[in-house]
Amino acid sequence: MSDLSYQDYLDRINIQEVLLHAGYTLNRRDGLRYPSYVRLDSNGRRIHGDKFVVTNHGTSCFRPPEQKTYNLISLIKTFPGMFPEHSRSNNPDHLVNEVCRSLLNITNDHQASRIIESHQENKPFSLNAYSIHAFRKLDFEGIKKFYPYFVTRGISLDTQRAFGAHFILATKESSDSNAKTYTNLSFPLFVPGNSTVVGLEERGRPRLDGSSGYKGKAMGSNSSEGLWIAHLGKAELSEAKHVYWFESAYDAMSYYQLHVKDNPSLNSAVFVSTGGNPTVGQMCGMLKQTPSALHHICFDNDLAGRQFTENFKNELHQLVRSRIVETPERKPYLDSLPFNQDYASGDIDLLPKPLREKYAKYESAWEEAMSMRECRLSYEGDIKEQEKAARQLYTDYRTALKFFLGINQQDTAYIRETPQRGKDWNEQLLLDLQDAKQAEESEETRNVASGIDLDVDGEIEVMESEEKKRSHKVRR
């Protein structure tokens, strides 16, 4: 009983039980073809926009308007914050076990140990405590000092020059002449809108075996509000058109190197690194300083990165809500909006009749699309056309809702970008460089194989290859 596999959970637990455990309630509205589960607010009213529809005889579900379906394992891993057990575990596999064992009334033999970190009083950060070596584009001898920190990351000299004003080599000064000193590649942190350096995102030299060395932040850094901000353009931060968010400066530089050839506008964009887990202070500070920007959320492609993305979207939703002018016509709907949720997640019954009708058309179209897909009798092309029509109806509804609430397009502009390969952008860059190197070596091998060293000088040349062909003709 103690050693259960994922397949055991899938066989023994209905996904409706998981949704109920997460706090959802069966939606008993007439006319729905499949069981759907919704959240209710403190007044017992349905929270629109937060719904799961159960399909495949209780083995999977989807969340309109998204097309992706989830089984109980992927549901728990994708939406960990829905479950009370999430506070006890950050490991997705451990969370699945916690939730499923709770549903099966199985007690855990091993409880996660509580770790208490020792408290240290840090002095406020001061850049004056460091000796600084800046990157200068024309100082070739000085540039060599940065080489060890970038070569193992695959970051080119052109990319270093593009970001050269936004990183330094910093060595902590010590009054003890016998004490060891360490030099780190450092990315200065700023509170958005302020020109004072409030900390450093640090990276040490790689180890001798090529693995990553030290990474962290300088003692006393303001990690709650400070960000690495690389504004490659000349305009003010408040005029930025594109802001790219990353968990590390290395990832930001890697993204630039991967895309700048096809997207020259990156040369005037703003690149931001949170230096680890993004905080509310970091996100709010930057969002307030860039009101007209399109925010590209480029966090890692893992469970933590997806959670950071959700946190970012929540802060953005709250900012949008704060900018809506409250009128008597809007107030009932605005009061129904859940905290930190999208402007479209309020009670639709409190909207004017034309908007309610637009949403009803979308919901009906999407349920028709899911019915066509579930019955397995419809042509795939017809299904995609129906899904496309449903998505367009939803877009029309949101556009009309924006107009009703007086929301500008820029107020909700964000896009999620993930690497096509690997967990993060630097990993993708290294994989691409590795592929390019292997392709080059294969081409060289083919070139060598096409000739023969007839004059025994150790070199195979095109003329020798032609001479080989002529010699074969003579033998014939």
Side-chain angles (χ1 to χ4, degrees):
M1 180 69 89
S2 61
D3 297 325
L4 295 177
S5 67
Y6 276 2
Q7 190 58 51
D8 293 324
Y9 296 147
L10 292 170
D11 292 340
R12 299 173 61 179
I13 301 175
N14 188 297
I15 202 165
Q16 297 184 62
E17 298 177 73
V18 180
L19 290 169
L20 289 170
H21 182 72
Y24 285 80
T25 303
L26 179 65
N27 180 20
R28 301 185 183 277
R29 288 176 56 198
D30 293 333
L32 293 179
R33 304 180 186 183
Y34 301 99
S36 68
Y37 287 78
V38 298
R39 279 193 186 276
L40 303 179
D41 61 19
S42 58
N43 296 319
R45 295 179 303 186
R46 172 188 171 189
I47 300 174
H48 286 271
D50 193 356
K51 176 176 75 171
F52 286 92
V53 178
V54 177
T55 59
N56 290 336
H57 307 290
T59 62
S60 62
C61 65
F62 70 94
R63 190 180 199 179
E66 296 178 3
Q67 183 178 342
K68 181 178 179 180
T69 58
Y70 306 92
N71 63 17
L72 68 89
I73 305 299
S74 59
L75 178 70
I76 297 170
K77 288 187 175 183
T78 305
F79 303 100
M82 298 195 314
F83 300 94
E85 293 84 358
H86 175 60
S87 61
R88 301 198 299 267
S89 175
N90 291 323
N91 183 300
D93 296 305
H94 182 69
L95 178 61
V96 170
N97 283 314
E98 287 276 321
V99 172
C100 292
R101 292 170 73 88
S102 176
L103 290 170
L104 294 172
N105 294 318
I106 301 174
T107 58
N108 288 311
D109 298 329
H110 303 287
Q111 298 292 335
S113 60
R114 185 183 178 191
I115 301 175
I116 303 177
E117 297 181 358
S118 59
H119 177 71
Q120 295 180 349
E121 291 191 12
N122 295 332
K123 295 181 180 178
F125 174 84
S126 174
L127 193 60
N128 294 329
Y130 296 80
S131 60
I132 304 300
H133 177 75
F135 183 97
R136 295 181 176 84
K137 296 181 180 180
L138 300 180
D139 180 8
F140 298 105
E141 289 300 317
I143 288 176
K144 291 180 181 179
K145 295 182 179 180
F146 292 88
Y147 177 82
Y149 300 92
F150 288 116
V151 63
T152 57
R153 295 288 180 163
I155 295 175
S156 68
L157 184 56
D158 286 340
T159 301
Q160 294 174 46
R161 285 178 172 144
F163 287 85
H166 304 286
F167 60 80
I168 56 177
L169 291 180
T171 305
K172 185 71 176 287
E173 298 289 352
S174 175
S175 57
D176 185 357
S177 59
N178 295 322
K180 288 185 178 180
T181 59
Y182 296 93
T183 299
N184 294 310
L185 177 65
S186 302
F187 303 89
L189 306 179
F190 297 88
V191 175
N194 195 307
S195 59
T196 303
V197 179
V198 296
L200 298 172
E201 177 185 333
E202 297 179 321
R203 293 299 182 114
R205 281 175 175 258
R207 300 186 180 93
L208 294 178
D209 61 2
S211 60
S212 298
Y214 159 77
K215 67 176 181 179
K217 290 183 180 178
M219 188 77 71
S221 294
N222 183 352
S223 299
S224 62
E225 298 175 293
L227 292 156
W228 177 67
I229 304 172
H231 191 181
L232 303 188
K234 296 181 180 179
E236 295 294 326
L237 188 60
S238 60
E239 300 173 3
K241 299 301 181 185
H242 296 273
V243 178
Y244 293 81
W245 291 77
F246 302 88
E247 294 180 42
S248 78
Y250 273 147
D251 284 333
M253 297 176 73
S254 298
Y255 178 96
Y256 172 91
Q257 186 168 320
L258 286 164
H259 296 94
V260 68
K261 183 177 179 180
D262 297 324
N263 184 11
S265 67
L266 292 178
N267 288 307
S268 58
V270 177
F271 292 81
V272 172
S273 168
T274 60
N277 296 2
T279 67
V280 172
Q282 290 174 325
M283 293 185 284
C284 288
M286 196 64 187
L287 287 170
K288 290 178 181 178
Q289 291 294 319
T290 55
S292 300
L294 172 62
H295 292 268
H296 302 254
I297 309 174
C298 305
F299 297 141
D300 292 355
N301 190 21
D302 57 9
L303 180 64
R306 289 190 288 273
Q307 186 61 56
F308 298 156
T309 299
E310 290 302 312
N311 296 344
F312 182 95
K313 289 158 65 174
N314 290 341
E315 294 305 319
L316 186 56
H317 296 329
Q318 185 179 358
L319 182 63
V320 171
R321 171 64 183 88
S322 69
R323 291 174 177 171
I324 298 176
V325 178
E326 196 170 279
T327 65
E329 187 180 22
R330 297 170 181 167
K331 188 177 188 308
Y333 178 78
L334 292 176
D335 289 344
S336 74
L337 284 174
F339 182 69
N340 276 3
Q341 294 298 310
D342 181 54
Y343 66 87
S345 61
D347 188 346
I348 293 173
D349 294 333
L350 299 176
L351 290 171
K353 183 177 179 180
L355 283 171
R356 296 200 305 270
E357 292 176 345
K358 281 183 176 292
Y359 185 84
K361 288 181 180 179
Y362 146 70
E363 193 169 49
S364 176
W366 191 258
E367 288 176 1
E368 176 65 24
M370 293 308 300
S371 176
M372 293 170 65
R373 187 169 290 282
E374 287 296 321
C375 73
R376 302 182 184 276
L377 298 175
S378 300
Y379 173 60
E380 182 65 24
D382 293 338
I383 297 175
K384 289 184 177 179
E385 282 298 317
Q386 180 64 26
E387 291 173 343
K388 181 180 178 181
R391 284 192 292 268
Q392 184 57 52
L393 287 170
Y394 186 69
T395 299
D396 294 342
Y397 163 71
R398 288 181 69 95
T399 300
L401 181 58
K402 277 185 182 181
F403 181 78
F404 170 69
L405 297 175
I407 299 174
N408 296 324
Q409 179 64 33
Q410 291 85 352
D411 288 338
T412 54
Y414 66 86
I415 184 172
R416 172 69 162 136
E417 297 189 38
T418 55
Q420 297 177 349
R421 311 168 65 192
K423 180 179 72 73
D424 55 49
W425 294 100
N426 185 244
E427 188 173 339
Q428 177 176 331
L429 175 62
L430 292 173
L431 289 171
D432 286 0
L433 291 174
Q434 181 180 349
D435 289 349
K437 183 179 179 181
Q438 290 176 351
E440 184 179 352
E441 291 174 349
S442 297
E443 182 64 26
E444 290 178 356
T445 301
R446 285 194 295 270
N447 291 338
V448 170
S450 66
I452 186 170
D453 188 8
L454 295 178
D455 56 8
V456 199
D457 64 352
E459 300 269 340
I460 297 176
E461 302 168 350
V462 174
M463 289 299 295
E464 293 177 350
S465 181
E466 293 299 322
E467 186 174 348
K468 176 186 176 184
K469 294 176 184 176
R470 289 196 296 271
S471 68
H472 279 287
K473 289 180 182 179
V474 170
R475 288 175 189 150
R476 293 195 192 98

